[in-house]
Amino acid sequence: MSFYPMISLLVCTLLQITNAVSNAEESQTYIIHMDHSQKPSSFLTHEAWHRSTLTSLMSSSSLADQKNEMLLYSYNHVMHGFSARLTASQLSKLEESPAHVATYPESFGKLLTTHSSKFLGLRRNSGLLLASSSGQDVIIGIIDTGVWPESESFGDRGMSEVPKRWKGTCENGTYFTPSLCNNKLIGARSFSKGLKAAGIKISTKNDFDSPRDWFGHGSHTSSTAAGNHVPGASHFGYAKGTARGVAPRAHVAMYKVAWATDSEKSFASDVLAGMDQAISDGVDIMSLSLGIDFLPYFNDVIAIASLSAIEQGIVVVCAAGNDGKYSTTYNGAPWITTVGAGTLDRTFTATLTLDNGLTVEGTSYFPESVYITDVPLYYGKYNATKAICNTGSLGHNEVAGKVVLCDNTTETPVNGVDFQKKEVERAGGYAGIFMADLSLLEPDDFSIPAIIVPFATGALIREYATQVHTPRVKILSFVHTNLGTKPSPEVAYFSSRGPDPITPGILKPDILAPGVDVLAAVTPNNPCMEVNNYNLVTDYELYSGSSMAAPHVAGVAALLKAVHRKWSPAAIRSAIMTTAYSTANSHTSIQDQWSGLPATPLDFGAGHINPNKAMNPGLVYDMNVQDYIDFLCTLGYNDKQMKAVIRRSQWTCRQPPTELNYPSFVAIFNKTDSPKAKNFSRVVTNVGDDTSIYRAFLEVPRGMRITVEPNSLTFTGKYQQQGFVLNVEIDSDAPKVIYGYLRWVDHHDHMVSSPVVAINN
């Protein structure tokens, strides 16, 4: 499924220190953040300084043995520093240095489209796809598990030449040569020194020591963002059509930092090295379906590296996470575009017809176009225990060659269907009918013919099975793909929700994008599932996760970058957020897939991404690095913590503190607050018509009041800026989460929408 390494960071700087180290001490990996202003002028490069510093820590007896293995990476862009293997006494000496910023030990983590482009409204001959030439000449850097270069998605038919500004390369490694790159896949590197330093070996039995993808995750995300057109792609017949990425003419560069080894670990030092290299190589967009634990920004390797990328004009897009609960968003730094996962208007089904003529449809991914005809239906009359299909409850003689109907379960409710499916398979049932209003089975769980029906439908089947002496299934057929499913989109049950655990005053996730049953390229080297004792492999597979949602937004960012070359990362994110929609195709508010109840901006952010509207947003809420520094100044960080995040020894905090110019509003109130009111100051930049007048329209629920001053904005030129103040107030007995919208509307079809959320603690 999705890929979510929980990664820690460590940051520290140092000068040359002479000390003998005992060979008996155990070494660990540390990331060392150096104050580059203290580099002695005698060193021409920072790496030379790093190596000399490490050499000075060794005893003469261990110098020859240790000097090659201590330094792992030297970082130049995400921070000035390096990662190295150090003993406790060596580290202790380093921390005495006046140039020291901070130290943290290495940590590790574990692993976390034929229709989605159409669902996003992207058409070849109109809108954003046409205006951007499908993302031509834009470079998307994917930080992930590698790439399968032979996939048709990475073919370069119709691609433009590699941009001359590109500085990257394709490395040589296990089953990977530079010749595998082309005008589509223009860069491929791997980073594993942190992994190897921890004693984890890479072999062809568990991964490839090269940019080649073993797990399939990196191939999936990169082809989702920018895969070329591939006719006839499908998941064993499901979702059949032409697969293509969101930006099919954009170039792809893969940075492999996560590994499908036996330990399934990825390391902060490797992730940092990949991001550092991507900045150096010259990517325009950086997409990460990775996350760290909930850490303050000065400890968060992705937050620190991303701020450096933003400073270089690189748009950074990250997955929000798959924890599916309140206040569990990852990658919530305000300079990152954080993406939640939504559903598509597409379902995959089987059709069941009973002997009495009743025909029903249910969810299925069973990978064979088979028809099961005229087979006995088993329910286990007069034996409730067997009917439930709990583990060990079915006998082979009773269910062999029959379709088994499983009723409610006493197993863990979330995994009940999975337990029942395994029990039917164990007992030798021919096929299974399972009841669940929401199926949590993955496509590769369908190792036997199976259909999942809602409880109401299951009750009709049960009624037939209990009233007929010899109930039978007339036809059970598979591999059906249905479009136009309502309601959609919904917020995926697993998608992480806000408020952000680090900065709850910034609305996260920012945006919702397709993240359920996304078809994209995978690796054909590993079986995706087993059916009838046969291992099945495929070139394209359905994956779900916020990992799948992030590359959709990265692809849209690439299209916008192709049209608006000079827009900042903040302007691109603002355009994406303020043009999003929050109404499903059923003309109701976007719902929560798990509960079926209306979702809130804490679930879907500004709404679901709407690429064609984002091309011409009218107004944007722009920001630069100084704005983010001012934001950090309000968090109470000390000098060392500030240095760790902004990677400089001197900075200025504007006084009085300025508010972050974000395209959404969050007011947090405590029980003792009276009145419960808050003002927000914002500045919008005109990127639409030279002359225009925008008027404020407010959508306000009962228990909430919103005012805007002024309530109209007049622009007489492109890129002119205008400010306004928004006031929000809620009743003392308002719900815990209440929200409305501010929409700036002109007469040229621009609607600049921002959610206004109040949290009543």
Side-chain angles (χ1 to χ4, degrees), residues 11 176 329 347 503 507 601 605:
V11 200
F176 202 99
T329 49
T347 53
T503 313
L507 183 63

Coordinates of all heavy atoms in Angstrom, one line a residue, residues 11 176 329 347 503 507 601 605:
V11 N 20.8 17.0 13.7 CA 21.5 18.1 13.1 C 22.6 18.6 14.0 O 22.4 18.6 15.2 CB 20.5 19.3 12.9 CG1 21.0 20.2 11.9 CG2 19.2 18.8 12.6
F176 N 20.9 -2.2 -13.5 CA 20.5 -0.8 -13.9 C 21.8 -0.2 -14.6 O 22.8 -0.1 -14.0 CB 20.1 0.1 -12.8 CG 19.2 1.2 -13.2 CD1 17.9 1.2 -13.1 CD2 19.9 2.4 -13.6 CE1 17.1 2.3 -13.5 CE2 19.1 3.5 -14.0 CZ 17.7 3.4 -14.0
T329 N -2.0 14.4 10.7 CA -1.4 14.7 9.4 C 0.1 14.8 9.5 O 0.7 15.3 10.5 CB -1.9 16.1 8.9 OG1 -1.8 17.0 9.9 CG2 -3.3 16.0 8.4
T347 N -15.9 2.2 -9.5 CA -16.0 1.0 -8.6 C -15.7 -0.3 -9.5 O -15.9 -0.3 -10.7 CB -17.3 0.9 -7.9 OG1 -18.4 0.9 -8.9 CG2 -17.5 2.0 -6.9
T503 N 1.4 22.4 14.1 CA 0.9 23.7 14.0 C -0.6 23.7 13.7 O -1.0 23.8 12.5 CB 1.7 24.6 13.0 OG1 3.1 24.4 13.1 CG2 1.3 26.0 13.1
L507 N -4.2 25.1 8.4 CA -5.1 24.0 8.0 C -4.3 23.0 7.1 O -3.7 23.3 6.1 CB -6.2 24.6 7.1 CG -7.3 23.6 6.7 CD1 -8.0 23.0 7.8 CD2 -8.3 24.3 5.7
P601 N -13.3 20.7 6.4 CA -11.9 21.0 5.9 C -10.8 20.4 6.7 O -9.7 20.3 6.2 CB -11.9 22.6 6.0 CG -13.3 23.0 5.9 CD -14.1 21.9 6.6
G605 N -9.2 19.7 3.6 CA -8.5 20.9 3.3 C -9.4 21.9 2.6 O -10.5 22.1 3.0

